């Protein structure tokens, strides 16, 4: 496949409501989209999930755009065949920047699969045609406000609730949700906000029978998570720590995680995401697909990944209207708590030109 060039497109997507985590509050998303154009006019899309500031990980959207412009696009354009699998070789020589790599790799993968007429889900090994949807609920100003939000999501049909927690907002919100809504599927996400010194406090979550406790400690504290797992009953799930299939194998072998959140942007793309899935499946570790507030472009690819056999827990694959009043693609809509897996070639969705034009803040064409 010969690529004639790439378009980098920045879009400004306001969120329907502020999204608060232990590391900050998002009011809107400044998203970088990558479009690959091939010699015979096929195209492929990728979404960079880097946030505006390096608060979730070291990447941020302006930095990702720079790495794509200066290093990743030239590496691809120098290949005789711009195949996403072949591109992993020069990409591996560039240290880090998994979200930037994932965006370019996905644009190539989408183009390759559209040309072949193969849906991404089929290419990855999907076994389902719809996936159960969970929803991530941010930190709120009060318990009543939280209960109102959770009630609304349950009424919409979400099959699993994830509560963001941080020191000072953890046991009480979980207790309130459990007492009000009974034995719903419930989990928490700390985004690295605690330390091992908080182990006894985190053990207070055990009576609430949570599905998992996500990334309680810093992303590089594998030993700490293994020690914490010995002190709390709630299963530990890692997110920020799992940067590759090897990192997943290490964390599992060291007893640091018993569930894994797979985010393609965090591991460099859907090809490595499938390897993380396979390593976890080989070790009997359940996985689910996380989210980074993606538009329909990234959401479509995440839903395809969530259809793999090892994805046995609802993911943060919510409907488009969880975050956006108007998506740039046809919206993903909840049906009986599930999202349908796209069936078209590649990621199976196209951005709507008018919707895209409405939110575009900058475009740049990068060619040989
Ligand atoms: O549903 C979604 O797309 C968001 C799910 C979610 O909570 N993402 C969290 C996370 O840490 O997993 C996040 C939010 C904002 C920025 C980065 C990550």
């Amino acid at each position: 496949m010969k690529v004639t060039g790439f378009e980098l497109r920045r879009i400004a997507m306001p969120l329907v409501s502020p999204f608060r985590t232990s590391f900050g509050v998002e009011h809107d998303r400044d998203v970088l989209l990558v479009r690959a154009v091939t010699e015979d006019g096929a195209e492929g899309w990728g979404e960079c999930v880097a946030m505006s500031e390096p608060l979730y990980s070291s990447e941020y959207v302006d930095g990702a755009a720079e790495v794509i412009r200066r290093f990743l696009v030239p590496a691809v354009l120098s290949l005789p065949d711009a195949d996403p699998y072949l591109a992993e070789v020069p990409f591996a020589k560039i240290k880090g920047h998994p979200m930037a790599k994932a965006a370019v790799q996905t644009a190539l993968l989408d183009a390759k699969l559209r040309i072949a007429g193969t849906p991404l889900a089929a290419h990855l090994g999907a076994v389902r045609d719809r996936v159960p949807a969970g929803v991530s609920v941010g930190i709120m100003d009060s318990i009543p406000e939280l209960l109102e939000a959770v009630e609304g999501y349950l009424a919409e049909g979400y099959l699993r609730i994830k509560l963001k927690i941080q020191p000072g907002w953890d046991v009480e919100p979980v207790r309130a949700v459990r007492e009000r809504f009974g034995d719903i599927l419930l989990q928490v996400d700390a985004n690295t906000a605690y330390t091992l010194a908080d182990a006894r406090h985190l053990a207070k979550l055990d009576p609430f029978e949570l599905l998992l406790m996500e990334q309680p400690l810093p992303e590089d504290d594998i030993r700490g998570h293994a020690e914490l797992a010995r002190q709390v009953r709630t299963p530990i799930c890692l997110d920020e720590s799992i940067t590759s299939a090897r990192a997943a194998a290490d964390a599992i072998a060291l007893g640091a995680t018993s569930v894994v959140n797979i985010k393609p942007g965090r591991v460099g793309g859907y090809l490595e995401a499938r390897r993380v899935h396979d390593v976890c499946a080989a070790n009997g570790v359940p996985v689910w697909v996380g989210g980074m507030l993606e538009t329909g472009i990234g959401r479509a690819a995440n839903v395809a990944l969530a259809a793999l056999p090892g994805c046995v827990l609802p993911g943060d694959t919510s409907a488009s209207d969880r975050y956006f009043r108007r998506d740039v693609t046809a919206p993903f809509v909840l049906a009986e708590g599930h999202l349908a897996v796209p069936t078209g070639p590649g990621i199976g969705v196209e951005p709507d030109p008018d919707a895209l034009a409405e939110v575009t803040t900058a475009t740049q064409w990068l060619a040989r």
Side-chain angles (χ1 to χ4, degrees), residues 19 21 23 26 51 56 135-137 162 164 189 191 214 239-240 261 263 288 290-294 299 316-318 322-323:
F19 185 65
T21 68
F23 54 78
E26 299 288 322
M51 313 306 287
Y56 165 79
V135 65
S136 180
V137 183
K162 162 167 135 177
K164 291 291 182 180
D189 184 1
N191 288 112
E214 191 179 348
D239 168 358
E240 289 91 331
N261 165 338
K263 286 180 180 172
W288 52 282
M292 295 290 285
L293 315 174
E294 287 93 344
R299 198 161 296 275
D316 285 343
T317 43
S318 307
R322 164 66 182 86
Y323 294 106

Side-chain angles (χ1 to χ4, degrees), residues 122-165:
H123 181 76
L124 294 176
V127 295
R128 300 183 193 92
D129 57 13
R130 66 175 195 153
V131 296
V135 65
S136 180
V137 183
I139 293 166
M140 302 271 178
D141 291 333
S142 72
I143 297 281
E145 192 184 342
L146 174 72
L147 294 176
E148 188 180 343
V150 171
E151 185 171 46
Y153 292 132
L154 292 172
E156 288 182 52
Y158 283 102
L159 298 176
R160 180 269 282 145
I161 296 291
K162 162 167 135 177
L163 303 180
K164 291 291 182 180
I165 62 170

